[in-house]
Amino acid sequence: MGSADSKLNFRKAVIQLTTKTQPVEATDDAFWDQFWADTATSVQDVFALVPAAEIRAVREESPSNLATLCYKAVEKLVQGAESGCHTEKERQIVLNCCRLLTRILPYIFEDPDWRGFFWSTVPGAGRGGGDEDDENARPLAESLLLAVADLLFCPDFTVQSHRRSTVDTAEDIHSIDSCEYIWEAGVGFAHSPQPNYIHDLNRTELLKLLLTCFSEAMYLPPSSDSSNTNPWVQFFCSTENRHALPLFTSLLNVVCAYDPVGYGIPYNHLLFSDYREPLVEEAAQVLIVTLDYDSSTSSSPTVDGTTTGTAMDDVDPPGPDNLFVNYLSRIHREEDFQFILKGVARLLSNPLVQTYLPNSAKKIQFHQELLVLFWKLCDFNKKFLFFVLKSSDVLDILVPILYFLNDARADQSRVGLMHIGVFILLLLSGERNFGVRLNKPYSVRVPMDIPVFTGTHADLLIIVFHKIITSGHQRLQPLFDCLLTIVVNVSPYLKSLSMVAANKLLHLLEAFSTTWFLFSAVQNHHLVFFLLEVFNNIIQYQFDGNSNLVYAVIRKRNVFHQLANLPTDSQSIQKGLQRKKKTPEPISRTNSQDGVSMEGSRPAAPAEPGTLKTSLVATPGIDKLTEKSQVSEDGTMRSLEPESSQPPPEGNPPSAVSDGESWSGEASHPRRDRRRLSSASSSGQWTPTPDWVMSWKSKLPLQTIMRLLQVLVPQVEKICIDKGLTDESEILKFLQHGTLVGLLPVPHPILIRKYQANSGTAMWFRTYMWGVIYLRNVDPPIWYDTDVKLFEIQRV
């Protein structure tokens, strides 16, 4: 039978189903088999031949027929898993049922009355119809998930058979040990099976169905209630699934072993189609969804790997019930960490390599899923985090992240990508090793539109952050606190900043300390505090080697003097507020060399008109995202109590705010309103008062810098007068050999703001991750035009 005939027959069956008002008996096999037995349809065909309107019509008008269709399709999958799918016909039936369920499930989820359907047991189903109240009857969802798990390790269907045998001694699906059939070498598995593109295609379709099952989460509105676990994921990742370990390992290894460049031959991917990539994407998406777990509610290991229990608790705390999270948190061998890190770094760097020889290598599109995966690895497995920070390989993760941040800064549809990149850097910056690693010279020239500089990875980080702050779009303002917190965290370890980076930091201070900016919103002054802390850390801990920064501070000394003499009377405050520049950002180009960008760079492009984006819930403010730790002389950290003795005010619970406008605010300055007020809306809601300005002006940490200026400015001026100098190299030479030992105030303790897990970020990750998955699955468009509740879909 031709493919056109089978499509026609399938379409006829769909029409019959939608026009029948009477329930069709489950035993009427002649009718139901039309949907899967003789048809050779692709998943795209199924989406075309089963229109959304018809699925909804059956759901409303003949619900029992929709219920029977789902139940019969699951039954076929269960039978296929039981038999081991030895014939071509059985495989065809399994794939057809798989495609049909992928099509229908989102319409079951969007209707609250139907959501319980898969969790109910169908009376007498599949038990020969006899005993109505069979003890062993499983909910339909469980039968479906277990069948899919079995089918993912089905010899000659999704995995290579180990037997050279005739059909009659075919492997018994129940006796095989699926750990011997892991899909790819890597973590805990050394054997790399022969690639087989048919197996890859079949796995991809089954994983698509699995992801669709898990997507019930998209149809529930966001809530910060962490007990809100996804029943599909919970069951699939429980001990009920005997394939949990081999499947977790298969997904992780398939992702981390993937090399999109193929065998290193440029343009190779244009000659043959890559069956691995769709599988890798699907695997990455299933993996991050199964790892959606709020770690702030569990007892997670502390920095040194011990748990936050008493000395008596020498046993490991029970891991989470979710076996995927459990396995991930227990990976510990160096070679496994190396394999994962190398794989993630290779894939994240792929779009950068891409820009040298356009189209020479296959360009992957799933970098957002990889960033979520990397985040989960660091969040759930502290040993992995320390492994990453131990070697300079961490820079192979840093550079691509900075590239993505720089590239996405003008594009409103990629604000989620900006957030996750910054969150990862915030997490890394809480560890001393990260700051130390940043001193490595930056020699790889990734094409980015940033000023040319010669220096270290720290310079690259500061220059990119400056670019985001000065030329990103408005929606990124909530991230400024995070960006500067990262710079504060690494600043005590930065041995020598380049002149370009030093000027960028002073440029930010200049912009953030204008009276208009300081008085226009309730937390803008925090940015100045962060920057002053950066300068203090570098001067106190890394004075030698930072003559560029010291010189920049001397050149811009008026900025510090103006801050020290900030007016606090009402009249000046009003005048300051009216002094708003024509441009929203009081940014001036100070350096002549700013014009020169790196070779091959492309400016950040805004989203194409008509691009879809999904909304995000608000991210917690920096005081909720981090906790302060003090670094003592031997390098250990102790966490500090929050400064204010008053309890922080309880704001309203975070609501879904488009693009995550933040509700940040330092604990030392409680205010009812935690939202960052933009200058436009602030006039109505909040006005600065002299008392308010005084309350923070008196705390500005200017002593160290003022002392430095007091000592060095006269000396520098004297050199200039004596030698008639206009040349900065002489001054820099003098500053390089200068010392302030004994002249500066006693060094303050180093304060690090470490990321701390909380349910606010857990919820943010959930909406971000599902938003990415929704937008990336366009062929077939699994969730398109269904009534999702977790986020809003907007056109840019």
Side-chain angles (χ1 to χ4, degrees):
M1 183 162 82
S3 144
D5 294 343
S6 75
K7 279 185 202 167
L8 192 63
N9 290 349
F10 179 73
R11 180 67 193 132
K12 278 183 188 156
V14 174
I15 293 169
Q16 281 180 341
L17 183 70
T18 48
T19 50
K20 278 188 195 294
T21 45
Q22 292 305 307
V24 184
E25 285 299 320
T27 48
D28 184 353
D29 285 338
F31 176 75
W32 297 113
D33 282 350
Q34 305 176 89
F35 289 97
W36 37 74
D38 307 318
T39 50
T41 49
S42 67
V43 68
Q44 285 76 10
D45 293 336
V46 170
F47 272 69
L49 299 170
V50 187
E54 295 183 15
I55 304 174
R56 289 191 175 114
V58 176
R59 188 183 71 193
E60 306 311 321
E61 284 141 40
S62 39
S64 75
N65 285 344
L66 181 61
T68 308
L69 180 68
C70 290
Y71 153 64
K72 294 293 281 186
V74 172
E75 186 182 50
K76 288 290 171 198
L77 288 181
V78 172
Q79 285 169 3
E82 291 279 314
S83 73
C85 283
H86 294 302
T87 65
E88 200 42 58
K89 181 167 177 160
E90 284 177 285
R91 289 170 202 163
Q92 196 56 61
I93 289 177
V94 162
L95 290 171
N96 284 334
C97 291
C98 191
R99 292 158 190 162
L100 196 59
L101 286 165
T102 302
R103 180 59 173 148
I104 293 171
L105 275 166
Y107 297 91
I108 301 269
F109 294 152
E110 73 174 3
D111 184 337
D113 294 338
W114 272 85
R115 249 174 246 145
F117 168 69
F118 270 85
W119 294 97
S120 59
T121 48
V122 181
R127 310 277 165 196
D131 195 359
E132 282 296 294
D133 43 18
D134 193 329
E135 295 298 294
N136 313 325
R138 274 192 179 279
L140 205 50
E142 294 186 4
S143 304
L144 170 55
L145 290 172
L146 293 175
V148 170
D150 277 339
L151 289 164
L152 286 167
F153 292 99
C154 192
D156 292 324
F157 180 49
T158 48
V159 291
Q160 212 77 41
S161 171
H162 289 184
R163 295 212 181 149
R164 299 266 161 274
S165 66
T166 53
V167 175
D168 48 78
T169 57
E171 291 162 271
D172 173 19
I173 194 86
H174 299 286
S175 62
I176 69 167
D177 173 4
S178 44
C179 285
E180 293 172 13
Y181 290 88
I182 287 169
W183 300 349
E184 187 57 69
V187 175
F189 193 68
H191 169 65
S192 198
Q194 193 61 36
N196 178 320
Y197 81 95
I198 301 283
H199 294 174
D200 276 2
L201 290 174
N202 294 342
R203 291 164 177 174
T204 304
E205 295 219 46
L206 286 161
L207 290 179
K208 221 184 260 311
L209 172 57
L210 201 50
L211 195 60
T212 309
C213 291
F214 296 159
S215 71
E216 186 179 41
M218 282 194 209
Y219 298 89
L220 304 170
S223 87
S224 50
D225 178 12
S226 54
S227 63
N228 206 347
T229 47
N230 181 329
W232 295 84
V233 171
Q234 195 176 6
F235 178 80
F236 191 78
C237 299
S238 73
T239 48
E240 294 267 354
N241 178 359
R242 71 187 182 102
H243 303 292
L245 178 60
L247 190 61
F248 168 76
T249 312
S250 295
L251 296 173
L252 184 63
N253 292 355
V254 156
V255 172
C256 295
Y258 179 56
D259 182 2
V261 181
Y263 303 105
I265 309 162
Y267 302 100
N268 204 4
H269 69 288
L270 301 177
L271 306 178
F272 63 88
S273 159
D274 176 358
Y275 294 99
R276 242 316 119 110
E277 190 182 23
L279 174 66
V280 174
E281 288 196 5
E282 214 66 51
Q285 292 177 2
V286 169
L287 201 49
I288 61 177
V289 169
T290 50
L291 295 170
D292 178 20
Y293 175 79
D294 184 355
S295 62
S296 65
T297 55
S298 64
S299 61
S300 55
T302 52
V303 175
D304 55 358
T306 59
T307 46
T308 43
T310 62
M312 301 302 291
D313 305 338
D314 54 350
V315 287
D316 280 347
D321 298 335
N322 177 326
L323 292 179
F324 280 37
V325 174
N326 214 327
Y327 297 143
L328 184 77
S329 67
R330 286 203 259 155
I331 297 171
H332 61 276
R333 295 186 337 178
E334 294 259 320
E335 56 268 44
D336 289 342
F337 286 156
Q338 189 63 35
F339 165 75
I340 294 171
L341 182 58
K342 280 272 184 274
V344 173
R346 177 195 323 116
L347 291 169
L348 285 178
S349 309
N350 164 271
L352 287 57
V353 177
Q354 190 48 31
T355 39
Y356 293 123
L357 284 172
N359 304 322
S360 64
K362 194 172 176 68
K363 186 169 184 178
I364 64 153
Q365 302 295 333
F366 56 99
H367 49 272
Q368 300 195 86
E369 292 93 320
L370 286 165
L371 289 172
V372 176
L373 179 60
F374 182 76
W375 170 269
K376 301 276 182 200
L377 281 156
C378 293
D379 194 21
F380 296 152
N381 190 323
K382 287 295 172 262
K383 290 194 174 92
F384 176 75
L385 177 62
F386 296 118
F387 176 84
V388 169
L389 291 164
K390 198 172 68 179
S391 73
S392 49
D393 288 349
V394 65
L395 302 174
D396 298 335
I397 300 285
L398 170 74
V399 172
I401 288 178
L402 291 175
Y403 171 86
F404 292 131
L405 291 177
N406 187 56
D407 190 52
R409 69 180 192 276
D411 180 350
Q412 298 225 4
S413 69
R414 290 195 282 169
V415 72
L417 170 63
M418 298 293 294
H419 276 75
I420 186 170
V422 172
F423 285 158
I424 290 173
L425 298 182
L426 178 66
L427 180 71
L428 295 173
S429 75
E431 306 301 334
R432 173 180 177 275
N433 263 353
F434 182 64
V436 174
R437 295 280 157 244
L438 291 179
N439 289 308
K440 187 175 175 181
Y442 175 69
S443 50
V444 206
R445 288 278 173 252
V446 172
M448 286 197 238
D449 57 328
I450 54 172
V452 174
F453 71 97
T454 304
T456 65
H457 284 75
D459 295 309
L460 177 69
L461 177 122
I462 288 167
I463 292 166
V464 169
F465 283 10
H466 172 269
K467 192 97 181 180
I468 294 167
I469 291 170
T470 57
S471 68
H473 57 79
Q474 276 306 115
R475 293 275 170 79
L476 298 178
Q477 271 217 344
L479 280 176
F480 291 1
D481 283 342
C482 261
L483 291 166
L484 293 187
T485 298
I486 294 164
V487 181
V488 174
N489 281 347
V490 301
S491 59
Y493 312 109
L494 304 183
K495 294 195 186 316
S496 67
L497 286 185
S498 69
M499 189 60 94
V500 179
N503 284 334
K504 296 299 180 206
L505 284 175
L506 279 142
H507 186 216
L508 289 177
L509 182 71
E510 209 175 354
F512 291 148
S513 59
T514 61
T515 48
W516 170 76
F517 186 77
L518 282 174
F519 298 159
S520 66
V522 68
Q523 21 251 7
N524 283 357
H525 62 278
H526 295 174
L527 301 172
V528 169
F529 276 80
F530 287 141
L531 283 164
L532 290 175
E533 208 175 321
V534 171
F535 297 129
N536 287 339
N537 280 342
I538 293 177
I539 292 164
Q540 290 280 20
Y541 290 98
Q542 299 289 350
F543 181 80
D544 301 339
N546 269 302
S547 51
N548 287 329
L549 184 80
V550 173
Y551 177 60
V553 167
I554 291 173
R555 269 188 48 214
K556 290 283 184 188
R557 56 190 178 276
N558 63 318
V559 180
F560 299 98
H561 289 300
Q562 279 166 4
L563 266 176
N565 301 314
L566 191 71
T568 56
D569 59 288
S570 297
Q571 201 181 350
S572 307
I573 292 174
Q574 283 317 307
K575 212 161 103 188
L577 281 171
Q578 282 148 18
R579 232 189 261 162
K580 182 180 191 306
K581 299 273 172 73
K582 302 282 180 289
T583 55
E585 272 291 350
I587 292 297
S588 60
R589 298 271 168 241
T590 43
N591 260 27
S592 53
Q593 62 190 87
D594 270 16
V596 193
S597 268
M598 296 195 156
E599 202 180 333
S601 64
R602 305 181 314 278
E608 297 281 316
T611 305
L612 290 181
K613 64 171 187 155
T614 52
S615 63
L616 294 162
V617 292
T619 53
I622 196 70
D623 56 319
K624 298 270 193 311
L625 268 178
T626 55
E627 60 181 356
K628 288 186 181 165
S629 304
Q630 200 166 317
V631 182
S632 50
E633 309 218 339
D634 59 358
T636 56
M637 291 198 188
R638 61 186 188 86
S639 113
L640 295 178
E641 291 304 308
E643 285 161 31
S644 65
S645 48
Q646 304 139 297
E650 285 304 314
N652 296 334
S655 57
V657 182
S658 168
D659 287 327
E661 315 287 316
S662 98
W663 61 98
S664 64
E666 287 278 329
S668 57
H669 190 75
R671 287 226 152 237
R672 287 303 302 170
D673 186 5
R674 291 290 203 185
R675 291 263 156 74
R676 178 185 289 290
L677 305 162
S678 70
S679 54
S681 62
S682 61
S683 50
Q685 295 167 290
W686 171 83
T687 45
T689 61
D691 285 350
W692 172 76
V693 179
M694 278 303 297
S695 73
W696 55 261
K697 180 190 163 180
S698 59
K699 297 196 188 98
L700 283 168
L702 287 163
Q703 306 79 328
T704 301
I705 292 168
M706 289 311 192
R707 186 77 186 113
L708 171 129
L709 293 172
Q710 201 184 346
V711 175
L712 293 180
V713 169
Q715 298 179 356
V716 170
E717 282 174 344
K718 186 171 185 309
I719 296 176
C720 294
I721 293 162
D722 290 355
K723 302 199 174 173
L725 275 186
T726 47
D727 177 20
E728 55 184 45
S729 64
E730 286 286 331
I731 301 169
L732 284 168
K733 206 172 288 175
F734 162 73
L735 291 173
Q736 269 162 14
H737 299 108
T739 171
L740 291 175
V741 174
L743 295 171
L744 292 179
V746 179
H748 54 285
I750 296 176
L751 272 188
I752 300 288
R753 291 172 181 81
K754 284 174 77 79
Y755 167 80
Q756 56 172 355
N758 60 65
S759 45
T761 38
M763 192 60 231
W764 184 89
F765 271 94
R766 183 171 307 152
T767 54
Y768 170 59
M769 168 183 83
W770 278 114
V772 168
I773 291 171
Y774 177 94
L775 293 173
R776 298 256 299 107
N777 283 275
V778 287
D779 181 28
I782 300 181
W783 299 282
Y784 187 67
D785 270 354
T786 58
D787 186 17
V788 296
K789 293 279 194 293
L790 186 63
F791 43 76
E792 288 169 28
I793 294 112
Q794 300 141 343
R795 279 192 187 280
V796 176

